[in-house]
């Protein structure tokens, strides 16, 4: 004997098929409205079997309904946590963004596989809608950052619920070098790792200075001074407890005579930026701020200068360069060419360049 709910499903589908086969457009729209009202008004009370019945009904309706009615259905079902999953997927896959948009941005019923499929294949408007979701996984944000236009990328970066992988963060910081709005979105994220934050500030500060000077040419000198002070405050604010602990550890090792090239190399091989930077600064006899400025430069010459002053061998320099590239996501350096450059670099030349750099930065040697 069939269950009552199964019988209800069969009867309802029969009535709908009849209405769709013989009814006018107005009747089909009114049928959709009534069924949607019925579902929404009692959604919390429906069992899984009831929801499957509604899923069948909605699927039957959307096959023969116009765009405006589908869009209305999507808008009404999107916020419902217990919405029928198959019709939600159907609406999300619609090429018309007015239909897909509400579901892509709001529906908790959409599974990760469907979202990634849509992000990889649909329009920028679909990607923008996805970027507005309450939570975005790393895999999903990777696709949005890779495929998205400027609007999509900025929306993703501004979403506090977006989980950003190391690769996505690297791409975002690189793109932010030519987009101040994107740089602001990324810089305000509380989960931005320190090494990315420093790269962002280093690249964005000049752009900010130029904008301010262009807006107030009569105050150019004052604006420049203000920007430099702001950059110093930003650097201080970026100092995390982890960074402080790393620097304290290196200072202790150095004071006890236990800090050497092997220890710094080990830090680099473990991907510990702060410890490597502080260790290299101590061995080179410069402040950690000076070393940090050289470490985050886009080219590798800064690392080589510090290492040459510190008297480090090429294998250690190679480990530091490799760590730097891994953390920043930059392209791999041609190590044989870099080795030749490092071996040809004279210690006296490195010392002169470092003195000039410290003078330019207003930095003082480490005690």
């Amino acid at each position: 004997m069939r269950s009552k709910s199964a019988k209800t499903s069969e009867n309802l589908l029969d009535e709908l098929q009849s209405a769709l086969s013989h009814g006018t457009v107005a009747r089909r729209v009114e049928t959709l409205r009534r069924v949607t009202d019925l579902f929404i008004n009692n959604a919390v009370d429906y069992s899984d079997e009831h929801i499957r019945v509604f899923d069948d009904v909605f699927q039957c309706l959307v096959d023969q309904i116009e765009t405006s009615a589908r869009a209305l259905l999507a808008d009404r079902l999107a916020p419902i946590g217990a919405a029928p999953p198959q019709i939600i997927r159907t609406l999300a896959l619609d090429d018309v963004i007015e239909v897909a948009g509400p579901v892509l941005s709001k529906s908790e019923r959409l599974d990760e596989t469907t979202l990634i499929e849509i992000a990889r294949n649909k329009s920028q408007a679909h990607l923008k809608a996805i970027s507005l979701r309450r939570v975005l996984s790393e895999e999903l944000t990777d696709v949005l950052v890779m495929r998205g236009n400027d609007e999509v990328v900025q929306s993703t970066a501004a979403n506090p619920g977006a989980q950003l992988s190391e690769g996505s963060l690297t791409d975002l910081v690189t793109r932010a070098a030519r987009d101040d709005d994107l740089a602001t979105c990324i810089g305000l994220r509380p989960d931005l790792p320190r090494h990315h934050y420093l790269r962002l500030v280093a690249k964005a500060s000049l752009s900010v200075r130029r904008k301010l000077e262009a807006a107030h040419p009569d105050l150019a000198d004052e604006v420049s001074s203000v920007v430099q002070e702001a950059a110093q405050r930003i650097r201080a604010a970026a100092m995390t407890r982890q960074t402080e602990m790393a620097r304290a550890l290196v200072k202790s090792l150095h004071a006890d005579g236990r800090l050497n090239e092997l220890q710094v190399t080990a830090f680099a091989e473990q991907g510990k930026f702060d410890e490597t930077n502080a260790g290299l600064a101590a061995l080179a006899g410069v402040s950690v701020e000076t070393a940090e400025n050289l470490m985050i430069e886009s080219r590798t010459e800064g690392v080589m200068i510090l290492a040459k002053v510190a008297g480090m061998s090429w294998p250690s320099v190679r480990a530091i360069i490799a760590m730097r590239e891994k953390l920043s996501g930059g392209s791999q350096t041609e190590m044989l060419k870099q080795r030749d450059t490092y071996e040809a670099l004279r210690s006296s030349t490195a010392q002169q360049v470092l003195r000039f750099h410290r003078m330019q930065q207003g930095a003082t040697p480490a005690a």
Side-chain angles (χ1 to χ4, degrees):
M1 186 175 181
R2 290 179 299 177
S3 67
K4 182 177 180 181
S5 54
K7 201 169 184 181
T8 301
S9 173
E10 185 178 284
N11 292 340
L12 183 53
L13 285 172
D14 286 343
E15 292 176 18
L16 287 168
Q17 289 285 12
S18 176
L20 291 171
S21 298
H22 308 293
T24 63
V25 171
R27 182 179 175 187
R28 292 200 299 271
V29 172
E30 176 62 18
T31 301
L32 178 64
R33 185 188 67 78
R34 288 177 181 275
V35 173
T36 308
D37 285 344
L38 179 63
F39 177 78
I40 291 176
N41 292 336
N42 301 280
V44 295
D45 299 324
Y46 291 133
S47 65
D48 291 343
E49 187 172 2
H50 290 143
I51 291 174
R52 283 194 292 271
V53 170
F54 276 99
D55 225 345
D56 291 339
V57 171
F58 284 127
Q59 290 285 5
C60 180
L61 282 168
V62 296
D63 286 342
Q64 303 182 52
I65 211 73
E66 52 280 331
T67 299
S68 60
R70 296 202 313 276
L72 179 61
L73 177 64
D75 193 58
R76 298 188 69 191
L77 290 182
I80 308 299
Q86 293 307 311
I87 189 59
I88 287 293
R89 186 177 192 279
T90 298
L91 295 170
L93 287 166
D94 202 298
D95 288 334
V96 179
I97 190 58
E98 287 77 13
V99 176
V103 174
L104 290 175
S105 62
K106 299 176 184 177
S107 179
E108 301 292 338
R109 273 294 209 181
L110 275 176
D111 60 276
E112 181 83 354
T113 301
T114 299
L115 284 167
I116 292 175
E117 174 189 348
I118 293 170
R120 286 174 176 165
N121 297 288
K122 294 292 186 177
S123 72
Q124 293 295 319
H126 287 72
L127 269 63
K128 173 64 182 300
I130 294 174
S131 74
L132 299 173
R133 292 181 66 82
R134 185 176 61 84
V135 176
L136 297 171
S137 69
E138 281 193 4
E139 187 175 0
L140 192 51
T141 56
D142 282 347
V143 180
L144 294 177
V145 171
M146 178 183 66
R147 283 200 66 221
N149 58 20
D150 290 346
E151 185 179 6
V152 171
V153 170
Q154 184 171 325
S155 177
T156 303
N159 186 343
Q163 300 170 23
L164 299 171
S165 68
E166 182 70 20
S168 286
L169 282 168
T170 298
D171 290 345
L172 287 171
V173 172
T174 300
R175 291 177 72 157
R178 60 180 187 274
D179 187 337
D180 284 348
D181 291 335
L182 179 58
T184 300
C185 287
I186 300 170
L188 291 175
R189 292 188 63 93
D191 59 345
L192 185 63
R194 177 178 169 79
H195 59 279
H196 284 300
Y197 191 88
L198 292 174
R199 284 184 64 225
L200 185 70
V201 171
K203 292 183 178 182
S205 59
L206 180 58
S207 173
V208 171
R209 182 181 296 113
R210 285 175 175 170
K211 274 192 168 184
L212 292 175
E213 290 177 350
H216 304 282
D218 56 324
L219 300 175
D221 292 340
E222 183 178 346
V223 167
S224 179
S225 176
V226 169
V227 171
Q228 290 178 5
E229 290 176 8
Q232 292 174 357
R233 289 196 300 271
I234 288 171
R235 182 182 294 279
M239 182 77 69
T240 64
R241 177 61 179 162
Q242 182 178 355
T243 302
E244 292 175 352
M245 292 175 63
R247 292 183 179 181
L249 169 64
V250 171
K251 185 177 181 180
S252 175
L253 291 173
H254 191 230
D256 294 343
R258 292 181 292 150
L259 183 68
N260 54 31
E261 180 179 342
L262 290 177
Q263 181 62 70
V264 175
T265 304
F267 286 145
E269 290 174 344
Q270 295 165 19
K272 296 181 177 181
F273 174 85
D274 289 319
E275 288 86 344
T276 303
N277 179 73
L280 191 53
L283 294 182
V286 300
S287 69
V288 289
E289 290 77 17
T290 295
E292 197 169 71
N293 285 331
L294 290 167
M295 283 281 280
I296 64 176
E297 285 182 352
S298 59
R299 299 182 298 176
T300 58
E301 282 83 348
V303 174
M304 292 189 184
I305 289 167
L306 284 170
K308 182 64 71 169
V309 171
M312 301 181 81
S313 63
W314 167 247
S316 298
V317 180
R318 182 178 57 196
I320 296 172
I321 293 175
M323 173 207 69
R324 181 176 169 276
E325 290 175 351
K326 183 178 180 180
L327 291 177
S328 68
S331 57
Q332 290 189 346
T333 300
E334 190 178 340
M335 287 296 183
L336 288 178
K337 184 177 180 180
Q338 295 297 324
R339 183 193 64 186
D340 293 341
T341 300
Y342 183 70
E343 291 180 348
L345 179 64
R346 294 182 178 181
S347 178
S348 59
T349 301
Q351 289 278 8
Q352 290 176 346
V353 173
L354 189 55
R355 280 197 295 270
F356 178 77
H357 184 85
R358 285 200 303 239
M359 180 183 69
Q360 291 292 94
Q361 296 294 322
T364 57

